[in-house]
Amino acid sequence: MSSLSQNKYKVVIGLEVHAQLLTNSKIFNSDLAEYGSAPNTNVGVITLAHPGTLPKLNKKAVEHAIKMGLACHSRISRFQIFDRKNYFYPDLPKGYQLTQDRTPICVGGFVTITTKDGAEKDIILNRIHLEEDAGKSIHLEGETDTLLDFNRAGTALIEIVTEPVIESSEDAGALMAEIRKLVRYLEICDGNMEEGSLRCDANVSMMPKDATVLGKKVEVKNMNSIRNVQHAIDFEIERQTTLLERGELVISETRTFNAADGKTYSMRTKEELNDYRYFPDPDVSPLEISDEWLDRIKSSMPTLPKELYQKLITNYHLPSYDAHVITETKELASYFEQMCSHTKNYKAASNWLMGPIKSYLNETNLEIAAFPLEANKVAEMIQLIDDGKLSFAVAAQKLFPSLIEKPSHSAALLAEELNLVQDSSMDSILPIVKDVIAAFPQKVDEYKKGKKAIVTMFMGEVMKRSKGKADPKLATDLIVQELNK
């Protein structure tokens, strides 16, 4: 959007985020809730809506939804009913969706995001409610028929609905990232957007800055990556701004986003009032959350990302950047704390995790859970560096890869075996320093004329002649000492 348009219009965005819950079975029956099964294998009579079948609510799904509500500072509804939402779903055999219209399990709340300028902002939520997922329609290229896979039909979902308070695609992306982090920390959803277990609908509208009435809302459906959410919103902002600048109307409609060309396309127009004929489902009993049940769920809550972030800064004295990176996942943070139980050099532990370890994980496409080195092995390398027996460069470039190949070995013994332990003896380093200085009289003159940075050249020569084993700090001190004679 041009700077002129930015001064004229206000962007109003609301997100509806669907998270599939990690339950063994579906929300209202015992069919497996499993991704990747052969089509139409996880289906039974309730999923297929056979006459006379009765749904039974999955208790674990309720607990997962409450955990998300507690993490988002929501009020937990103590009495709930499920409603039938009636509209044609080709891949939901009942012809209606069981959801929570009037009594969402979680009311209000907020999720705190960090904006691109580093400030914190609370994104206000309207609700979080439980519902069942639909199946999957498959449209094969060149085929006129649509294939239906009912495996996903009836899978437990929560829908996290924000108020229309988001003002940019960057903030929307930050919110999606924070929600993904939360559901993974809570272990209620795997957060894998590429598999569809976390999906987002974005509602975007534009209004003149001095207006009090919201503009026409356009909904972009089912985006499966944070980048796609941001690109779709940016495209809609440009498209709607262009229409308004031409004096044309923005049509309230549902659109789809094509990641290949970065554009949204119309699917269907929206009615002014969606009449889904909601009514309480007569087959699902009302749900009441007791004090005892709620207290048990509260006591099982893990440490959440924001609390852990603060802990890393307060207890481990890490910079904000380090704390953000390490709390990206619960597993990374756990590995860091395991390292810190074996070393007090917390910043070195952070550097190793963000540097060599993350590089290795990226190169091998592994998660930290599959990292072959136990945390105490990395702490051993840190101690060797702190004791002056290894430089960080030698440890990272030579000992680290060798230790990954032999993870049961002692870091100290392996360093000895590979002849990596650096020389901290003045008697052995000083002759090398003197030889290097004698070999470059012209460079010595340059140093004496004020070119102090040339010390690094001498240092490189010393390390080369010592085969990388000279203690860098001692070698540097000796070079300066000899040059200043």
Side-chain angles (χ1 to χ4, degrees):
M1 186 163 58
S2 68
S3 57
L4 180 62
S5 298
Q6 281 181 333
N7 293 329
K8 287 180 64 176
Y9 300 106
K10 180 181 177 182
V11 182
V12 181
I13 302 163
L15 297 187
E16 298 169 11
V17 183
H18 295 80
Q20 279 187 2
L21 299 177
L22 285 173
T23 55
N24 292 326
S25 56
K26 296 180 181 179
I27 188 169
F28 294 113
N29 66 65
S30 60
D31 293 345
L32 280 178
E34 186 177 71
Y35 178 81
S37 299
N40 296 311
T41 53
N42 298 335
V43 293
V45 292
I46 296 179
T47 294
L48 295 175
H50 284 199
T53 55
L54 291 173
K56 183 178 180 180
L57 183 59
N58 187 324
K59 183 178 180 181
K60 183 60 70 174
V62 175
E63 292 177 347
H64 284 348
I66 291 173
K67 284 183 177 181
M68 188 63 179
L70 293 173
C72 296
H73 319 280
S74 305
R75 175 175 63 81
I76 308 302
S77 299
R78 308 305 288 274
F79 181 83
Q80 303 156 45
I81 58 172
F82 282 85
D83 302 283
R84 292 186 180 185
K85 181 181 182 181
N86 295 277
Y87 62 107
F88 179 66
Y89 246 145
D91 39 21
L92 192 60
K94 291 193 297 285
Y96 58 84
Q97 179 189 37
L98 282 174
T99 184
Q100 294 179 317
D101 177 41
R102 283 162 289 184
T103 59
I105 190 166
C106 311
V107 179
F110 61 90
V111 175
T112 303
I113 65 168
T114 302
T115 63
K116 64 179 180 180
D117 59 5
E120 289 198 337
K121 179 192 289 187
D122 292 339
I123 303 298
I124 306 302
L125 303 184
N126 176 281
R127 57 159 57 196
I128 301 171
H129 60 262
L130 276 163
E131 62 187 20
E132 62 183 335
D133 207 347
K136 187 176 181 181
S137 297
I138 302 164
H139 315 282
L140 297 177
E141 188 174 352
E143 296 287 339
T144 56
D145 295 330
T146 295
L147 304 178
L148 298 178
D149 178 6
F150 294 118
N151 279 348
R152 198 174 66 184
T155 298
L157 286 180
I158 51 172
E159 182 174 346
I160 304 146
V161 183
T162 77
E163 295 289 1
V165 293
I166 303 169
E167 299 175 340
S168 70
S169 63
E170 290 88 356
D171 285 358
L175 177 62
M176 285 299 300
E178 197 62 37
I179 288 174
R180 183 173 62 184
K181 190 187 293 186
L182 278 175
V183 298
R184 286 175 169 172
Y185 265 77
L186 293 167
E187 297 180 356
I188 63 172
C189 172
D190 61 27
N192 293 336
M193 298 187 74
E194 67 278 3
E195 294 179 1
S197 54
L198 189 68
R199 316 189 290 274
C200 178
D201 301 341
N203 295 295
V204 185
S205 66
M206 306 290 293
M207 58 188 291
K209 285 211 167 177
D210 57 353
T212 56
V213 179
L214 293 175
K216 292 289 186 180
K217 179 177 69 176
V218 173
E219 182 179 29
V220 187
K221 296 287 286 185
N222 284 336
M223 288 165 289
N224 64 353
S225 80
I226 294 174
R227 182 174 295 179
N228 285 352
V229 171
Q230 292 181 276
H231 287 176
I233 290 171
D234 285 336
F235 179 81
E236 272 305 301
I237 291 171
E238 287 292 339
R239 188 185 70 85
Q240 293 182 35
T241 301
T242 300
L243 289 173
L244 293 171
E245 287 292 279
R246 291 175 183 163
E248 299 177 24
L249 294 176
V250 174
I251 299 171
S252 185
E253 61 183 339
T254 300
R255 298 176 72 87
T256 185
F257 177 70
N258 184 340
D261 62 11
K263 298 179 180 180
T264 67
Y265 294 90
S266 180
M267 295 171 66
R268 55 186 177 270
T269 57
K270 280 185 171 291
E271 301 294 334
E272 287 302 313
L273 179 65
N274 290 319
D275 189 359
Y276 293 122
R277 303 283 191 223
Y278 284 109
F279 66 87
D281 187 273
D283 295 331
V284 182
S285 300
L287 172 64
E288 188 167 352
I289 310 295
S290 67
D291 291 341
E292 294 77 16
W293 190 13
L294 185 56
D295 287 342
R296 283 201 305 273
I297 296 170
K298 285 179 179 178
S299 66
S300 70
M301 290 286 285
T303 304
L304 295 176
K306 291 292 181 185
E307 302 168 59
L308 198 49
Y309 166 83
Q310 199 57 51
K311 180 182 178 182
L312 296 188
I313 290 175
T314 304
N315 294 9
Y316 297 105
H317 313 294
L318 294 186
S320 176
Y321 176 80
D322 294 41
H324 271 301
V325 173
I326 292 170
T327 55
E328 279 178 6
T329 71
K330 189 177 185 178
E331 293 75 20
L332 270 180
S334 175
Y335 192 88
F336 172 77
E337 293 205 277
Q338 288 174 46
M339 281 195 288
C340 292
S341 67
H342 298 282
T343 179
K344 299 301 179 188
N345 193 339
Y346 306 138
K347 185 65 175 86
S350 171
N351 291 343
W352 271 93
L353 188 55
M354 297 191 303
I357 294 174
K358 283 204 80 175
S359 294
Y360 173 81
L361 296 176
N362 291 337
E363 289 165 8
T364 55
N365 200 27
L366 292 175
E367 299 294 333
I368 190 68
F371 184 55
L373 288 186
E374 294 181 4
N376 65 307
K377 299 293 183 181
V378 183
E380 277 187 67
M381 288 193 288
I382 292 171
Q383 192 60 53
L384 290 171
I385 297 167
D386 289 347
D387 290 344
K389 294 179 179 179
L390 286 180
S391 67
F392 174 80
V394 169
Q397 294 166 18
K398 296 182 179 179
L399 181 57
F400 179 61
S402 297
L403 200 55
I404 284 175
E405 291 179 4
K406 301 175 180 179
S408 62
H409 281 48
S410 155
L413 292 178
L414 190 55
E416 291 278 4
E417 183 184 315
L418 296 171
N419 197 27
L420 299 177
V421 178
Q422 67 187 16
D423 190 349
S424 298
S425 165
M426 182 184 295
D427 291 341
S428 59
I429 297 175
L430 184 55
I432 299 175
V433 169
K434 288 183 174 181
D435 286 346
V436 167
I437 289 175
F440 295 95
Q442 186 178 345
K443 298 296 183 184
V444 173
D445 289 341
E446 290 180 25
Y447 175 84
K448 292 185 181 296
K449 289 176 181 176
K451 197 173 180 181
K452 304 300 183 183
I454 209 161
V455 167
T456 58
M457 185 280 295
F458 287 107
M459 183 63 189
E461 283 296 318
V462 170
M463 294 307 288
K464 187 188 300 181
R465 296 189 185 199
S466 68
K467 298 181 180 178
K469 295 183 67 178
D471 181 335
K473 185 177 185 309
L474 178 58
T476 302
D477 291 344
L478 291 173
I479 290 168
V480 172
Q481 175 185 304
E482 291 299 309
L483 287 172
N484 287 331
K485 282 186 176 178

